[in-house]
Amino acid sequence: MSTAILTGQPVPGSPLEGDLRSLGFDVRVASDAADAETLLAAVPAGQRVAVVDTRFVGHVHALRLALTDPRFAASAVPGAVTAKPEARQELTRALRASAAAHGGVATLDALPDDIAAAMESGAAVVHRPDLGTLVATVPTDPQTRNEARQAVAAVDDEAVRLRSAVKARDGFFTTYCISPYSRYLARWCARRGLTPNQVTTASLITALIAAGCAATGTRGGFVAAGALLLLSFVLDCTDGQLARYSLQYSTLGAWLDATFDRAKEYAYYAGLALGAARGGDDVWALALGAMVLQTCRHVVDFSFNEANADSATAGGNTSPTAALSDRLDSVGWTVWLRRMIVLPIGERWAMIAVLTAVTTPRVTLVVLLIGCALAACYTTAGRVLRSVTRKAARTDRAARALADLADGGSLARSFAALRSPRPLPAPVIAFVGGAVVVAVAAFTSYGSSWVVVGAVIYVALSGLALARPLKGPLDWLAPPFFRAAEYGTILVLAAKADVNGALPAAFGLVSAVAYHHYDTVYRIKGGTGAPPRWLVGAIGGQEGRTLVVALAAALLPATDFTVALTALAVAVALVVLVESIRFWVTAHKRGAPAVHDEGEPA
């Protein structure tokens, strides 16, 4: 339990103690400044502690935002300051600094505000939440207290809390078709003690049932699949809104939410392919192509964002393209149009659900591929324009993140260690290498040794692309090109094998590798660092796996190639899943920083 220390003269009729207890605080009252320091020292080191002025007047949700948000080590609003265990030392130092500023004796008057100011003047970063219309103040006389109470009564605390539960930047479909009622579902879950992770799991189970319905291949199954997919998306929105409503943020929760989103969508693709097969139509290549395209889109998003994450501290992006985008954001209808064009998860899942119910899996996947391809062209073109005109320098941290996203293994590192001059920019080299291996696989017959030659060239060019830090304006394109090359090679060779089971086995292998790549992204975004090098080496790195698949296609009969793909998929999945689950569970137990994505959905 957290502890709140009240300072100052008690105010008759104040609901403050009850409000704090409703937020989970054990309330203690300090009789003087020395007693406040004594009470602070008595709080167990592993607990959050808050110091609150007894004169505080404000909304309960203002206190909730200031005193219970797990994402911040220290937070404050007027009249209240809190510190998690990692910031307790700074709070204690600030209390003593406040005493020193008053001639060696700390006074209870405005003590929380003095502590917050002293913490900010030191090494601590004190978060101050944006309260909007919420009230948080410390009246100094009866008249201002009465005015503050009237201001509190004029604003519906619960309505503000419900509005703030909705993601700040969301797609059109989510904003107008889901969030108007899913926020109330989130509140219903909160009042019954459900956690965001439980809702996330329910969303996953619902989507898997939807995939199973699609796999039946019947019209009734397709209709049920579409309806369940939409229900899964409602729950997917609800888990994040529940986290914001109740401030139940966690690193593990953010990882589960992001990982399950990908698992749900790609499992549904597989369900469509299975359902089509029951009707005599083979659409596994389309399903795998949709997964490859969507994964590459995500890598483009992640790479661009990581490459430019430090722009604010490195001079900012002052490109004309960025300025034009900002101007367009000031025109309401253009904002929604641009968000719909990129086909975010809400619009995409709604389209998939409707098409599943009224058409065939083939039509659904073809339309999905066309829509995602157009969206990819639009977003990538805009980001290329921003990058070539940006003036901010790429930081070392961004270059390391791009190198981690590239997923180069020991073979690529061996060629990179040669430190040979790079004749062309890294993304050009990566593109050429990928184009070579995919083109050779596509334009030669199955079993041709030329595909191995193409893979060897790709390995060498992968290392050459990574021989220097990825600090060029377009170097963020290198990881997406590597993803397209590896996944594309697997897809083409499996299609060339032209035997039952080859494309489903390739789907499984790409799924396992894609999980590893998404896991890398979420670790970087969460500030926990990329996966260990031994893990990347154990699963071969992107160039090593491409070479292994090429060798298997050249040396094995088509039926044995299917077995090899299946075995490789199982091996990769086991290694990355065991290490990933161990890492995230351990990080959660150790209290890794809580994160939550407020950006536009992918």
Side-chain angles (χ1 to χ4, degrees):
M1 176 177 284
S2 303
T3 299
I5 300 172
L6 293 180
T7 65
Q9 293 297 322
V11 177
S14 172
L16 183 58
E17 285 194 40
D19 291 344
L20 290 170
R21 288 194 174 93
S22 72
L23 296 176
F25 284 93
D26 178 22
V27 180
R28 302 176 187 178
V29 181
S31 58
D32 53 38
D35 190 28
E37 186 170 353
T38 300
L39 290 174
L40 178 61
V43 177
Q47 287 187 7
R48 174 193 287 272
V49 67
V51 181
V52 184
D53 196 314
T54 54
R55 299 170 298 173
F56 176 90
V57 174
H59 290 97
V60 176
H61 193 50
L63 285 173
R64 181 182 292 107
L65 291 172
L67 304 183
T68 67
D69 196 326
R71 296 173 295 176
F72 307 105
S75 300
V77 291
V81 62
T82 185
K84 292 175 63 178
E86 56 266 33
R88 284 276 301 276
Q89 185 176 358
E90 282 298 315
L91 189 145
T92 302
R93 181 200 62 78
L95 176 60
R96 292 169 181 165
S98 178
H102 291 84
V105 179
T107 63
L108 289 180
D109 291 339
L111 182 59
D113 294 336
D114 290 343
I115 291 174
M119 292 178 71
E120 288 177 320
S121 65
V125 176
V126 180
H127 170 68
R128 293 186 179 272
D130 181 9
L131 299 180
T133 58
L134 296 175
V135 176
T137 185
V138 181
T140 56
D141 57 68
Q143 180 179 347
T144 55
R145 173 171 293 278
N146 184 56
E147 293 173 351
R149 286 175 173 172
Q150 291 177 357
V152 170
V155 177
D156 188 340
D157 179 274
E158 181 62 19
V160 173
R161 188 180 178 190
L162 275 173
R163 285 197 304 270
S164 62
V166 177
K167 187 180 288 186
R169 289 174 56 85
D170 237 330
F172 181 88
F173 178 77
T174 304
T175 299
Y176 290 103
C177 300
I178 303 297
S179 292
Y181 56 88
S182 62
R183 68 183 75 181
Y184 294 100
L185 179 58
R187 181 173 66 181
W188 183 88
C189 292
R191 290 177 175 177
R192 282 152 185 79
L194 296 177
T195 67
N197 290 351
Q198 290 171 331
V199 178
T200 300
T201 303
S203 176
L204 173 67
I205 294 172
T206 304
L208 293 179
I209 295 174
C213 290
T216 62
T218 64
R219 178 52 53 195
F222 289 145
V223 172
L228 287 171
L229 185 64
L230 287 177
L231 175 59
S232 175
F233 182 65
V234 171
L235 294 174
D236 182 55
C237 294
T238 301
D239 62 5
Q241 291 166 358
L242 174 59
R244 284 181 286 273
Y245 182 84
S246 56
L247 299 185
Q248 297 184 71
Y249 301 117
S250 71
T251 295
L252 180 63
W255 171 70
L256 286 176
D257 183 43
T259 301
F260 284 3
D261 278 352
R262 307 288 82 84
K264 287 180 288 188
E265 185 165 0
Y266 300 155
Y268 193 84
Y269 295 173
L272 287 174
L274 289 170
R278 287 181 176 271
D281 190 11
D282 186 358
V283 298
W284 274 106
L286 293 175
L288 179 51
M291 180 167 66
V292 169
L293 178 56
Q294 188 58 29
T295 304
C296 290
R297 283 187 64 200
H298 286 141
V299 177
V300 168
D301 292 343
F302 299 142
S303 295
F304 178 80
N305 291 335
E306 286 302 319
N308 296 281
D310 301 325
S311 289
T313 56
N317 189 349
T318 57
S319 71
T321 308
L324 175 61
S325 178
D326 292 338
R327 286 197 297 272
L328 288 174
D329 281 342
S330 64
V331 183
W333 68 269
T334 65
V335 174
W336 294 118
L337 179 62
R338 293 164 66 207
R339 291 187 188 179
M340 292 173 68
I341 289 175
V342 301
L343 207 61
I345 188 171
E347 279 75 359
R348 191 169 66 249
W349 282 27
M351 181 184 72
I352 294 171
V354 171
L355 289 175
T356 300
V358 301
T359 65
T360 65
R362 177 173 292 275
V363 171
T364 301
L365 292 170
V366 168
V367 173
L368 177 64
L369 280 166
I370 294 172
C372 287
L374 293 175
C377 291
Y378 170 78
T379 55
T380 305
R383 287 166 177 171
V384 168
L385 288 174
R386 286 188 180 214
S387 298
V388 296
T389 55
R390 78 189 297 272
K391 298 179 180 179
R394 191 82 73 226
T395 64
D396 291 337
R397 189 215 62 81
R400 285 194 301 272
L402 292 178
D404 291 332
L405 290 173
D407 193 35
S410 56
L411 293 176
R413 288 197 297 271
S414 297
F415 280 96
L418 299 177
R419 296 291 181 182
S420 57
R422 197 160 61 192
L424 296 169
V428 174
I429 298 174
F431 174 80
V432 170
V436 167
V437 66
V438 173
V440 170
F443 293 106
T444 59
S445 59
Y446 177 81
S448 171
S449 59
W450 282 106
V451 72
V452 178
V453 176
V456 170
I457 293 173
Y458 175 66
V459 169
L461 291 179
S462 295
L464 185 59
L466 300 175
R468 295 289 184 270
L470 299 176
K471 291 188 174 183
L474 295 176
D475 282 0
W476 56 270
L477 284 170
F481 286 151
F482 287 142
R483 293 297 83 76
E486 180 183 2
Y487 299 165
T489 301
I490 296 171
L491 168 58
V492 171
L493 290 177
K496 284 282 186 176
D498 196 25
V499 294
N500 288 333
L503 281 168
F507 192 97
L509 175 58
V510 172
S511 298
V513 175
Y515 175 88
H516 164 63
H517 290 147
Y518 281 119
D519 189 53
T520 300
V521 167
Y522 302 140
R523 294 193 195 198
I524 294 172
K525 289 180 66 176
T528 53
R533 178 166 291 188
W534 71 260
L535 175 66
V536 177
I539 59 176
Q542 53 87 16
E543 80 292 345
R545 290 187 298 272
T546 303
L547 180 59
V548 167
V549 172
L551 285 168
L555 299 176
L556 299 176
T559 52
D560 291 344
F561 178 63
T562 300
V563 175
L565 289 179
T566 304
L568 185 58
V570 171
V572 171
L574 285 176
V575 173
V576 299
L577 280 172
V578 170
E579 196 282 333
S580 175
I581 294 172
R582 180 207 61 79
F583 170 82
W584 287 105
V585 171
T586 302
H588 179 70
K589 290 181 178 179
R590 290 179 179 175
V595 297
H596 197 78
D597 181 18
E598 294 293 339
E600 203 163 317

